[in-house]
Amino acid sequence: MITMTDPAWRPSPRAKQLWAINAALMWIPVFVAQIVWAVIDGRWTTWPHVAALAVTVASAAAHIVGVPLWRYRVHRWEISETAVYTLTGWFDQERRIAPISRVQTVDTERGPIDRMLGLATVTVTTASSAGAVKITALDKDVADKTVARLTDIAGRTPGDAT
């Protein structure tokens, strides 16, 4: 019987900051909606406004602090001469193994927050109906080396990636 181990490498430690910033940005519309509701209603200190604000603050704090820490504990990636292997998710966890012989393209993506934190995402597109394999929140130099290594391995691997 073969036992699978988790991939060896974690994302950058700055991934926690990236995920916290992204989570905080998701909560801005909720806070804006509550402020608009309070302004339109004209009674800021009534129990519905105070209760809604308390629930929102507690939920946002748990999401902004807790989810990045949990995701960092779970997220892993690894590349071998034969496959790209990722473990992702925080609530629903997914293991993906993409054989090198199925690799079609390897790309790097850097959004504005990624650039601010010096991070990048490596996307490995395969001939799979499950879609591309993403290795998120890598230090930029690690991402560049990963792309170069994957490109080299894929170029030496026989097959037509279909």
Side-chain angles (χ1 to χ4, degrees), residues 10-147:
R10 290 179 186 255
S12 168
R14 289 190 305 275
K16 294 177 272 191
Q17 291 173 289
L18 174 69
W19 296 326
I21 291 168
N22 287 337
L25 291 173
M26 289 175 46
W27 284 98
I28 290 173
V30 176
F31 282 109
V32 168
Q34 286 186 331
I35 291 168
V36 169
W37 173 42
V39 167
I40 289 172
D41 191 34
R43 297 176 289 163
W44 290 78
T45 58
T46 59
W47 76 266
H49 294 289
V50 173
L53 182 62
V55 168
T56 302
V57 167
S59 299
H63 187 206
I64 293 167
V65 173
V67 169
L69 295 174
W70 179 258
R71 285 181 73 179
Y72 189 74
R73 280 188 59 214
V74 172
H75 279 228
R76 299 277 190 284
W77 66 281
E78 191 169 343
I79 296 168
S80 73
E81 293 292 316
T82 59
V84 178
Y85 181 22
T86 61
L87 174 62
T88 60
W90 65 278
F91 188 69
D92 287 331
Q93 294 178 4
E94 177 183 56
R95 290 176 185 256
R96 297 276 311 270
I97 301 170
I100 294 293
S101 63
R102 306 280 286 175
V103 171
Q104 293 178 327
T105 62
V106 182
D107 304 302
T108 305
E109 178 184 348
R110 299 183 72 214
I113 300 169
D114 295 298
R115 287 192 306 272
M116 180 180 76
L117 295 172
L119 300 175
T121 295
V122 173
T123 302
V124 181
T125 306
T126 65
S128 167
S129 62
V133 175
K134 290 191 178 227
I135 307 171
T136 60
L138 299 179
D139 289 320
K140 184 185 179 309
D141 61 325
V142 172
D144 291 344
K145 289 175 186 173
T146 300
V147 167

